Amino acid sequence: MKKIFIIAIAFSVFSCSVEPSRSIVDGSDLEVLSDIQKNQWVRAYLNQDTVLLNQLLHEYYHLVDDNGDKYTKEDEMTYISNYAPSYSSHEYEIIEISLIDTGAASVIAKATLKGTDGAEAYITTYVSSTAFVKVDGNWQAISCHVSGVKEERFPMAPSE
């Protein structure tokens, strides 16, 4: 009898502590993630806004670039603080956003950067795949991978 009682208590404690997973994703999350990728992300880098970038990147954030090099959130914060962008335009075209009910998302986007470098104009394109997690109601990038970097250069007419 004692053995059955202990098993019953153990089972009731276990069953009370397990909660079914709840969705923390809502209907506005697609728009929020699109805005982060297309507007906030661009604004943070273009304006060297470390306050905004700090909000957008999770503490465990890492970036893997097209060469396979890995960078941390600290690396990105240092880079954005020390180097103004040479491009004048940075746009993202969202290819796909995937949401997981428990608060994760993947955003695949094509980026186009336009600028001038010396006597040449350039257009750089690449595809990024960014994983986001929802923390305390806010989406933060936790991982990003960049691939397919292509650059076109155009000689500029000499100024008179």
Side-chain angles (χ1 to χ4, degrees), residues 1-71:
M1 179 77 153
K2 194 178 200 180
K3 196 178 206 180
I4 294 173
F5 181 70
I6 292 171
I7 292 172
I9 290 174
F11 182 76
S12 66
V13 168
F14 174 75
S15 64
C16 291
S17 66
V18 175
E19 290 183 32
S21 62
R22 296 178 302 155
S23 177
I24 61 171
V25 174
D26 63 42
S28 68
D29 286 317
L30 286 173
E31 288 178 34
V32 170
L33 287 161
S34 182
D35 180 61
I36 289 170
Q37 187 74 61
K38 292 172 75 174
N39 299 309
Q40 295 179 49
W41 195 279
V42 170
R43 191 170 55 246
Y45 279 89
L46 193 59
N47 299 327
Q48 294 181 277
D49 187 342
T50 56
V51 173
L52 177 56
L53 188 63
N54 187 53
Q55 293 170 1
L56 297 176
L57 302 183
H58 190 275
E59 67 178 300
Y60 298 126
Y61 174 82
H62 63 270
L63 164 72
V64 177
D65 70 12
D66 62 316
N67 292 319
D69 296 322
K70 181 183 172 219
Y71 302 94

